[in-house]
Amino acid sequence: METKAETAIPYDLKDRFGIVTGAASGIGQAAAVHLARMGAAVALVDLNQAGLEETVALMGRQSDAPTLVFTADATDDGEVQRVVSETADAFGSLDFLINSAGILRRSGFLEMPLEEWDLMIRVNLRGPFLYCRHSVPHMVRQGRGVVVNVASLAGRSSSILGGAHYTSAKHALIGLSRHMARELGPRGVRVNAFCPGATLTPMTVNSTTEEEIEAVAATIPRQRWATPGEQAAVIGFLVSDASINITGACIDSNGGSLMI
Ligand SMILES: NC(=O)c1ccc[n+]([C@@H]2O[C@H](COP(=O)([O-])OP(=O)(O)OC[C@H]3O[C@@H](n4cnc5c(N)ncnc54)[C@H](O)[C@@H]3O)[C@@H](O)[C@H]2O)c1
């Protein structure tokens, strides 16, 4: 039995192929650019075509690895199936899946329309589930794969900016990740939930006043919101073999918010 210290596993993603959802904006866009910089070939998916073009332009400067682009709705089973199978065919391998597509709505519990509850669960839980459902069989066949489900600090506590629907979906996404990790670990597939705290992206900036941004920053031990790039760096680590022993975890990146 080997117990000696060995060299840490190198940290790049050459010859790794995968999918990033929500890749047109914010954390998903930064993750796609970062993964490309680490050498990965990435399929970008989003509803927002103009944002995807921006991501392609940003990635172009980082890597020579091929890029695929899909405009597709993460909640539509047929579209997700098409994206996954075309990606696996084109790349010949499917090594990672980053589920970053998501939406935020702000409603108090007493005022929340039922349609808004359904929409939030549909995009923030059904969407990642569908991508997992269609991607994991490819990973199981290969005997290796990594899933990162972008949950939230709102999956670990309640949500300042969202509502009960957002908090519920993100808690459930962590549960999905944990359960998948248990079932799929023996098949070589790692599944983790990534839980960002307040991060300056179009999702948050477009629904928040400057005063609110400052007020939230004041509650964070680090005293500032994260940038998408700071969150992307953690996603890169979770995709790489440097995190080979991490599965079924919730990886927090929140400036210390969960401690208080
Ligand atoms: N920004 C934060 O403070 C924060 C904190 C915790 C968790 N998160 C989570 O991080 C993820 C990314 O958020 P962000 O802040 O980068 O937001 P963002 O709005 O900048 O990006 C989200 C992307 O998802 C896409 N999208 C939405 N619905 C879709 C659908 N049905 N199909 C395909 N694409 C769809 C949007 O078009 C957008 O490009 C989300 O899951 C969000 O809940 C964000």
Side-chain angles (χ1 to χ4, degrees), residues 8-9 13 16 18 22 42 58 89 95 104 109 113 116 134 137 149 165-166 173 185 194 208 215 232 239 241-242 257:
I9 291 163
L13 296 176
R16 298 295 168 94
V42 187
L58 289 168
D89 284 352
D95 304 308
L104 180 74
F109 182 78
E116 194 175 282
H134 292 294
N149 286 321
H165 41 22
Y166 186 76
L173 186 55
F194 173 51
T208 318
V239 173
D241 285 350
S257 298

Side-chain angles (χ1 to χ4, degrees), residues 21-30 45-49 51-52 55 70-76 79-80 99-105 119-120 122-124 127-128 131 149-155 161 166 170 173 194-206 225-226 228 231 235 253:
T21 78
S25 177
I27 294 170
Q29 181 178 68
V45 204
D46 206 291
L47 284 172
N48 172 358
Q49 199 173 344
L52 286 172
T55 308
F70 299 93
T71 307
D73 184 345
T75 70
D76 182 310
E79 289 192 22
V80 174
N99 273 312
S100 190
I103 54 171
L104 180 74
R105 296 285 185 276
L119 176 70
M120 294 292 281
R122 201 174 157 79
V123 177
N124 293 327
Y131 270 100
N149 286 321
V150 181
S152 175
L153 177 59
L161 294 181
Y166 186 76
K170 294 301 189 179
L173 186 55
F194 173 51
C195 299
T199 307
L200 290 171
T201 69
M203 171 186 279
T204 45
V205 170
N206 294 342
W225 290 54
Q231 305 298 20
I235 293 174
S253 171

Side-chain angles (χ1 to χ4, degrees), residues 19-22 43-46 70-77 79-84 87 94 97-101 125-139 147 149 180:
I19 295 172
V20 178
T21 78
L44 313 172
V45 204
D46 206 291
F70 299 93
T71 307
D73 184 345
T75 70
D76 182 310
D77 188 45
E79 289 192 22
V80 174
Q81 192 167 12
R82 177 181 67 84
V83 168
V84 173
T87 300
L94 189 56
L97 165 67
I98 313 300
N99 273 312
S100 190
L125 183 59
R126 175 185 159 97
F129 166 71
L130 290 179
Y131 270 100
C132 289
R133 186 164 183 257
H134 292 294
S135 299
V136 164
H138 293 278
M139 296 175 177
V147 177
N149 286 321
M180 287 176 63

Side-chain angles (χ1 to χ4, degrees), residues 26 31 139 142 152 159 170 181 184 186 210 226 234 237 248:
M139 296 175 177
Q142 294 168 188
S152 175
S159 166
K170 294 301 189 179
L184 298 167
E210 267 184 39
V234 185
F237 165 72

